[in-house]
Amino acid sequence: MSAPVAVVKRPLNVLATDIKLAHKTAGELAKQAIDAAYEAGTLLIEAKAQVKHGEWLNWLEVNCPAVAVRTAQQYMALVNNRELIESKSAGHAYLTIAILCRLCNV
């Protein structure tokens, strides 16, 4: 049987500071993730425009094997719908957190 885990009681002012920092970091990282997805989508659109008709999926599989076709489609859709997405959200972090909460049935 394992020993009980000791609970450390930090002062509320320390907890508040740590909570605010964690919240700020979460928002910044969420924004970075969305910005990277937009960048990937922009690059994918540029690449697709240069690939001959009917050769896109093969090009993607050979040159970007870590990027699933569905993921590439989603990245490109983000770019193509950016104005609509941004008009419906107050900020990137809120949108991302809301989607994650929905996925977790929260």
Side-chain angles (χ1 to χ4, degrees):
M1 194 179 233
S2 60
V5 177
V7 176
V8 176
K9 291 187 179 181
R10 292 177 275 183
L12 286 173
N13 65 327
V14 172
L15 288 170
T17 299
D18 290 349
I19 290 165
K20 289 185 274 188
L21 179 60
H23 174 70
K24 179 181 177 202
T25 301
E28 290 169 352
L29 292 173
K31 184 179 180 335
Q32 286 179 14
I34 289 173
D35 288 346
Y38 279 127
E39 177 66 14
T42 300
L43 295 168
L44 286 160
I45 290 168
E46 184 178 343
K48 185 175 182 180
Q50 295 182 42
V51 174
K52 291 181 183 176
H53 181 75
E55 295 180 12
W56 169 243
L57 295 180
N58 184 60
W59 184 91
L60 183 63
E61 184 178 305
V62 169
N63 293 281
C64 304
V67 180
V69 172
R70 182 70 183 130
T71 301
Q73 291 169 337
Q74 290 170 333
Y75 288 159
M76 292 186 290
L78 280 175
V79 173
N80 291 328
N81 294 288
R82 188 172 192 160
E83 188 174 309
L84 175 66
I85 291 166
E86 291 180 351
S87 73
K88 292 188 175 236
S89 67
H92 291 124
Y94 174 78
L95 178 65
T96 302
I97 292 168
I99 290 169
L100 289 174
C101 288
R102 187 190 291 164
L103 290 173
C104 297
N105 296 318
V106 175

